[in-house]
Amino acid sequence: MVASVLIGVVAATNIQQASAPRSCGGCLAFKKLTHEFEKNVIDAATTGDPNTITGLLEQYSEDVSALDFSAPK
């Protein structure tokens, strides 16, 4: 169960990274959020409570939605 959730989350974040705009205002913030999210998911799956992964995913989604991906000024 934990392995399948972890594989799905990692695959989803890899797809998002591949399709993320590269020269935008929120790109560095997006990369930082994604890195922190991946680290937190791995920590939760290996040492913590795997049930927290859903909450981590929801928070990550909210944080990414709040980013400004418009062209830098």
Side-chain angles (χ1 to χ4, degrees), residues 16 19-31 33-34 60-72:
Q16 288 176 343
S19 64
R22 297 295 178 221
S23 58
C24 62
C27 290
L28 290 177
F30 174 77
K31 289 178 185 178
L33 280 174
T34 301
Y60 173 74
S61 177
E62 290 174 18
D63 292 343
V64 170
S65 295
L67 291 176
D68 179 13
F69 286 107
S70 60

Side-chain angles (χ1 to χ4, degrees), residues 2 40-41 43-54 56:
V2 173
N40 291 339
V41 168
D43 289 346
T46 58
T47 61
D49 180 10
N51 296 322
T52 62
I53 294 174
T54 303
L56 292 171

Side-chain angles (χ1 to χ4, degrees), residues 1 4 9 11 22 25 28-29 35-36 38 44 48 51 54-55 57 63-65 73:
M1 170 74 179
S4 63
V9 169
R22 297 295 178 221
L28 290 177
H35 176 73
E36 290 175 8
E38 290 173 348
N51 296 322
T54 303
L57 182 59
D63 292 343
V64 170
S65 295
K73 298 173 182 166

